[in-house]
Amino acid sequence: MPNLAERNKNEIEFIEQIFRASSSMLSRIPNIRTRQETAIKRVTELGFPQKSSEDWKYYDSQPILENFFTLDICEINKLDKEIIRKHRFPECSENLLVTVNGHFSKELSSTSLANKNISIIDFNDPEQLKTHPQEEEIINQYFAYKINQEKSFFKACNTALMSNGFLLSVPDDTEIQETIQILHFSNESCFNQTRSLIHLGKNAKLKIIVSYIGLANNHFVNNAVVELILSEGAYFKLDKIQDDTQQGILLYDLYARLMKNSNFEYNSLDLKANHSRDNIKVDLLEPGAHSDLSGFYILNKDRKAHNIIKVNHLAPNCTSNQLYKGIISDSARAEFNGEINVSEGANGTNATQLNKNLLLSHNAHIDSRPQLSILADDVKCSHGSTVGELDEDEIFYLLSRGIKKDDALAMLTLSFCEEIIQKVTIDSAKQHIRNLTLENLDTKIHTANTVHKLK
Amino acid sequence: MTETILEVKNLEANLEDGDKILKGLNLTIKAGEVHAIMGPNGSGKSTLSKILSGHPAYKVSSGSMNFLGQDLNELEANERANLGLFLAFQYPLEIAGVNNLEFLRMAYNSKQKYQGLEEADPLDFDDLVESKLEILSMKNDFLNRNLNEGFSGGEKKKNEILQMLILEPKLVVLDEIDSGLDIDALKAVANGINAYKNAGNAILMITHYQRLLDYVVPDQVHVLSEGRIVLSGKADLALELEKKGYDILNAKLS
Ligand SMILES: Nc1ncnc2c1ncn2[C@@H]1O[C@H](COP(=O)(O)OP(=O)(O)O)[C@@H](O)[C@H]1O
Ligand SMILES: [Mg+2]
């Protein structure tokens, strides 16, 4: 153990607990195991994120810490099949991948996935790798990428403590027509490590819709890490739905590496968790790569959502867009911290970034910080953020047609996020998202002139 | 005796802690009548229409507004609408993400519910809408678009008239429904207004031009200036105003 003298008591206990737990979580795949051992070292070196670090300035991590250190690392992956039926989208019933408390479950996932041209490799199953040399190579190259330099405490924790995460890989020149649904369930009051590595070969095409679903009635933390590699010319669309119970804390870390002319579309729907923190990093590594990041967060009560987004233009002629919208009511708080970084030599960059927020109560709060750093020439960048209320004239227009005030407010709030909802691949998911959005509106809504009581 | 639809007496109104805009306005409209209101820009015409329909930005400080025997001040904007008051906006709002047909159905069902009637059967409702589209020479694909989003000026105005035809109000206030229309759109809109008009309802048209009044002939023409009706007359008053401009007001009033 390193010297933990300056750290506080909770933190020391927490790190010691991770240290103890990690020894039983080590993978039986040697290359993964080595990185887990490095990760444990990083956990102790990095320590719990401090408020003094820029990325954590607006995030009070103490409550999480207090939650954490009573939580076990969960090894249970049991779930009633009925529950899956309730959460899967009909369009995806044959293309389902399920994890429970961070553990991939072959039994609960669709068997028909095996017939498609997709490999799914369990991170704790060395037997499988014997027949999949290419996948082994991908894991060696990309799993826990540069873990010895990892800066994120929680990502290092995840690497150290995960066991049955998975690699999902699509070979070169393969287009998967159907959308794959991934369901990540948390049904125990635990500190769960959800982990996946997604690799698309050259010109491969894939669409995934993933939901993080919390079923536990007590506190739990879902610490999710996704690593993503898009080879030359690949196309990947990812819809992420945060459908955790209001007891849950979701930490979500996505790191995408985009090669030449690849195209990544990401759409994030933060609908439910008590506390969420999304850390999204996209590296545009080769010319012609394109990324479209969008999302909305809807928060009520005293919930919190943080979106920390970095898009790094590291090669010439790449394009990127960010569009995030927020609806914040009661005494909820949100943070949008978006960066566009254009490196030296990344000429011909075209990047946009926009964060729009609706504040529906006097106590609702947003910290919106769009940031731009440009070290190249011939660059087109735009960024900005807006904070507003529902438009009194739009409300009046609906009322003047006989529509009740409650309904008018709900319609206009949905209308604000519809642009984001429209990007979701699956129709039944769109409806599900609209329903969850409306559930979150059971609250007082503030507009320019009045406070309206909704429902 | 013909039914009185709207009776406005000595109406004074201002912006929420702001300037007085209406300064003692009187207006009585009976069933079967068409009234036109003209007047210089900024005289308070749109404000009158919004106060009648219950916009929260304005406060009535004195006077009364009676609609079908009810005090409008006691009613919320949606209740006024459900009672049969309809305002066609000078600038209809664009509402992204709200489907036009869905919106029409919601508005229609709100009124049905208010009157204690059943909601419309979706198929019957589609038939109803289609029959109204024909009157306005509007294409079906309007219905699948979002409410006024990306509509041209003329399309927005037609969409207002479509809503009016479906909701069958007792009184319509048409705020510059003829502004920004080409000749065909003007004819379509006039067609819609004439299809709506009957002995039991009434129309209040705010306009700057005679050209709409050629299609929909008013029983009375009023001139609104500085928050008051300063002159009323028959249809020929509009013709005279168009020829000579508002300068004649000074001559007539002195
Ligand atoms: N919401 C508002 N805020 C500020 N001023 C307003 C508002 N509504 C009306 N006014 C003012 O009241 C006067 C009358 O406006 P309006 O009724 O729109 O005139 P008209 O329709 O006759 O051209 C104008 O001076 C206008 O600027
Ligand atoms: Mg006007």
Side-chain angles (χ1 to χ4, degrees):
Chain A
M1 290 289 292
N3 182 6
L4 296 174
E6 331 80 271
R7 312 265 167 82
N8 77 37
K9 188 170 146 282
N10 282 354
E11 188 181 344
I12 295 170
E13 266 182 61
F14 179 56
I15 291 178
E16 281 175 353
Q17 187 191 338
I18 291 173
F19 214 84
R20 280 193 302 274
S22 62
S23 59
S24 63
M25 305 312 273
L26 291 174
S27 169
R28 287 179 288 144
I29 297 173
N31 270 324
I32 292 182
R33 188 190 180 98
T34 320
R35 281 172 214 181
Q36 290 187 285
E37 284 160 354
T38 310
I40 297 163
K41 265 183 32 211
R42 284 307 284 161
V43 167
T44 50
E45 284 161 12
L46 287 164
F48 211 79
Q50 300 298 311
K51 248 193 134 141
S52 52
S53 89
E54 184 65 14
D55 280 359
W56 288 85
K57 206 154 134 189
Y58 295 86
Y59 194 102
D60 183 8
S61 48
Q62 283 310 313
I64 317 183
L65 186 59
E66 271 143 37
N67 278 319
F68 272 7
F69 88 112
T70 61
L71 294 179
D72 291 328
I73 312 301
C74 188
E75 296 187 47
I76 299 165
N77 71 345
K78 294 281 168 288
L79 187 78
D80 188 349
K81 280 207 165 179
E82 269 311 306
I83 291 173
I84 292 177
R85 230 162 273 147
K86 224 179 88 192
H87 288 276
R88 75 175 178 209
F89 299 121
E91 296 93 329
C92 305
S93 55
E94 300 295 310
N95 308 300
L96 206 60
L97 235 145
V98 179
T99 77
V100 183
N101 301 319
H103 302 279
F104 171 57
S105 167
K106 209 169 178 173
E107 297 74 52
L108 297 172
S109 302
S110 311
T111 47
S112 54
L113 272 178
N115 308 331
K116 302 211 162 66
N117 213 344
I118 304 177
S119 314
I120 293 156
I121 308 284
D122 188 323
F123 283 152
N124 200 14
D125 184 359
E127 292 307 306
Q128 228 186 333
L129 276 193
K130 284 183 186 155
T131 53
H132 291 84
Q134 279 184 347
E135 283 74 10
E136 180 166 26
E137 184 48 40
I138 290 167
I139 289 176
N140 291 348
Q141 216 177 331
Y142 295 112
F143 174 77
Y145 193 78
K146 293 196 175 161
I147 185 67
N148 58 333
Q149 296 167 34
E150 183 54 60
K151 291 209 179 62
S152 157
F153 174 79
F154 288 112
K155 196 167 172 181
C157 276
N158 178 291
T159 307
L161 298 173
M162 66 106 218
S163 58
N164 301 91
F166 59 86
L167 161 70
L168 189 155
S169 126
V170 183
D172 290 353
D173 302 309
T174 305
E175 176 173 357
I176 308 297
Q177 293 284 350
E178 304 91 333
T179 301
I180 310 289
Q181 183 178 12
I182 303 180
L183 288 166
H184 293 297
F185 290 99
S186 298
N187 66 351
E188 295 289 330
S189 185
C190 288
F191 179 34
N192 291 328
Q193 316 303 321
T194 306
R195 180 71 174 235
S196 43
L197 171 61
I198 297 170
H199 182 274
L200 273 72
K202 282 188 182 165
N203 302 316
K205 287 195 171 78
L206 177 68
K207 294 174 295 217
I208 290 182
I209 184 161
V210 51
S211 304
Y212 290 86
I213 297 169
L215 303 170
N217 287 321
N218 297 318
H219 292 292
F220 66 93
V221 178
N222 194 352
N223 182 24
V225 173
V226 180
E227 289 173 301
L228 177 63
I229 296 95
L230 301 195
S231 308
E232 179 174 344
Y235 167 81
F236 181 46
K237 162 89 200 219
L238 177 62
D239 291 306
K240 184 211 73 175
I241 305 172
Q242 182 212 85
D243 200 344
D244 279 301
T245 59
Q246 304 227 346
Q247 310 288 333
I249 294 175
L250 177 64
L251 302 169
Y252 180 76
D253 191 297
L254 172 81
Y255 174 40
R257 296 172 54 79
L258 272 60
M259 306 306 161
K260 194 171 168 186
N261 296 330
S262 63
N263 185 350
F264 175 41
E265 289 174 16
Y266 171 72
N267 198 21
S268 163
L269 305 132
D270 290 354
L271 301 168
K272 251 184 162 177
N274 176 297
H275 236 89
S276 71
R277 189 177 199 279
D278 286 22
N279 196 20
I280 312 290
K281 182 173 148 190
V282 177
D283 282 347
L284 302 161
L285 292 160
E286 293 180 355
H290 174 76
S291 92
D292 246 310
L293 309 179
S294 59
F296 79 85
Y297 38 93
I298 175 154
L299 300 166
N300 61 357
K301 302 189 176 136
D302 60 352
R303 293 166 50 210
K304 297 186 178 69
H306 300 257
N307 281 283
I308 292 91
I309 296 162
K310 289 188 174 69
V311 174
N312 299 317
H313 283 257
L314 302 164
N317 303 319
C318 293
T319 48
S320 72
N321 301 310
Q322 297 173 42
L323 173 65
Y324 271 70
K325 290 186 161 190
I327 299 166
I328 310 155
S329 57
D330 299 338
S331 55
R333 298 176 73 89
E335 174 194 4
F336 174 83
N337 188 343
E339 285 178 25
I340 303 171
N341 297 311
V342 183
S343 298
E344 218 170 311
N347 300 343
T349 288
N350 192 337
T352 71
Q353 182 192 60
L354 184 59
N355 175 227
K356 288 174 133 181
N357 296 282
L358 265 185
L359 291 189
L360 301 183
S361 87
H362 287 294
N363 294 326
H365 187 84
I366 168 83
D367 290 299
S368 179
R369 288 176 303 148
Q371 297 170 70
L372 202 56
S373 138
I374 303 175
L375 300 174
D377 302 320
D378 183 24
V379 167
K380 268 195 215 143
C381 282
S382 72
H383 73 154
S385 76
T386 64
V387 178
E389 294 157 346
L390 283 179
D391 185 274
E392 198 68 65
D393 285 320
E394 290 183 9
I395 298 171
F396 176 64
Y397 190 55
L398 299 182
L399 293 182
S400 79
R401 298 305 182 248
I403 292 168
K404 283 208 309 272
K405 195 167 262 178
D406 293 1
D407 293 336
L409 298 178
M411 278 167 89
L412 291 174
T413 312
L414 268 189
S415 146
F416 178 75
C417 10
E418 190 60 26
E419 162 182 29
I420 307 291
I421 297 175
Q422 278 306 324
K423 294 175 191 266
V424 173
T425 329
I426 298 288
D427 280 336
S428 61
K430 287 182 190 156
Q431 204 43 50
H432 177 65
I433 291 161
R434 289 189 193 104
N435 293 342
L436 285 183
T437 304
L438 290 177
E439 274 176 32
N440 280 315
L441 282 178
D442 187 7
T443 181
K444 277 187 181 162
I445 289 193
H446 170 77
T447 65
N449 288 335
T450 21
V451 173
H452 310 286
K453 179 83 182 88
L454 197 60
K455 280 184 195 131
Chain B
M1 215 183 85
T2 28
E3 184 190 13
T4 298
I5 298 220
L6 180 74
E7 187 163 42
V8 178
K9 279 190 185 156
N10 296 318
L11 187 69
E12 298 194 7
N14 51 277
L15 286 166
E16 281 283 341
D17 39 73
D19 298 341
K20 191 165 269 191
I21 302 177
L22 298 186
K23 303 166 184 169
L25 187 137
N26 291 291
L27 181 66
T28 302
I29 300 177
K30 296 203 155 140
E33 290 182 347
V34 177
H35 289 237
I37 290 189
M38 306 180 83
N41 289 327
S43 56
K45 303 182 299 295
S46 291
T47 302
L48 171 65
S49 73
K50 285 181 185 164
I51 289 173
L52 288 173
S53 42
H55 194 292
Y58 306 96
K59 266 231 145 33
V60 172
S61 51
S62 72
S64 66
M65 303 182 283
N66 207 293
F67 176 61
L68 301 172
Q70 296 218 42
D71 180 2
L72 282 181
N73 253 329
E74 305 267 285
L75 301 171
E76 298 287 342
N78 59 314
E79 294 170 317
R80 299 181 195 194
N82 287 325
L83 205 62
L85 179 60
F86 182 92
L87 167 62
F89 283 58
Q90 182 175 359
Y91 304 108
L93 286 103
E94 301 195 14
I95 316 274
V98 172
N99 174 277
N100 210 12
L101 179 61
E102 203 107 322
F103 170 72
L104 286 171
R105 193 182 300 134
M106 274 190 84
Y108 184 83
N109 284 334
S110 295
K111 186 174 175 186
Q112 293 291 103
K113 231 188 268 169
Y114 188 82
Q115 299 182 338
L117 300 171
E118 296 230 339
E119 293 199 351
D121 169 82
L123 289 180
D124 291 347
F125 186 73
D126 289 354
D127 289 346
L128 173 72
V129 175
E130 267 178 45
S131 69
K132 306 298 183 192
L133 282 173
E134 246 170 70
I135 297 172
L136 297 168
S137 340
M138 283 170 88
K139 292 206 191 84
N140 261 4
D141 54 8
F142 263 95
L143 301 174
N144 299 324
R145 292 168 67 180
N146 286 334
L147 181 51
N148 292 330
E149 196 186 18
F151 283 27
S152 72
E155 288 169 340
K156 283 181 185 164
K157 296 295 174 82
K158 280 193 189 180
N159 210 27
E160 296 288 283
I161 297 298
L162 176 66
Q163 293 167 23
M164 172 188 88
L165 289 173
I166 285 163
L167 295 173
E168 296 187 329
K170 285 288 274 190
L171 173 66
V172 297
V173 181
L174 307 171
D175 191 358
E176 296 201 24
I177 195 73
D178 52 340
S179 297
L181 297 184
D182 64 28
I183 295 161
D184 287 344
L186 181 70
K187 272 189 191 157
V189 162
N191 238 355
I193 299 172
N194 284 320
Y196 157 78
K197 188 172 178 280
N198 65 37
N201 62 26
I203 299 171
L204 177 61
M205 278 189 299
I206 294 168
T207 182
H208 286 299
Y209 308 107
Q210 174 61 34
R211 56 180 205 158
L212 177 64
L213 305 182
D214 288 339
Y215 292 100
V216 188
V217 181
D219 299 294
Q220 287 190 47
V221 175
H222 312 278
V223 181
L224 185 66
S225 176
E226 293 178 25
R228 219 171 289 149
I229 288 180
V230 292
L231 192 65
S232 295
K234 297 278 167 211
D236 54 359
L237 176 59
L239 280 169
E240 196 181 344
L241 282 168
E242 183 152 85
K243 241 185 253 152
K244 301 182 184 157
Y246 290 114
D247 282 347
I248 64 162
L249 284 181
N250 298 327
K252 292 213 177 209
L253 293 177
S254 58

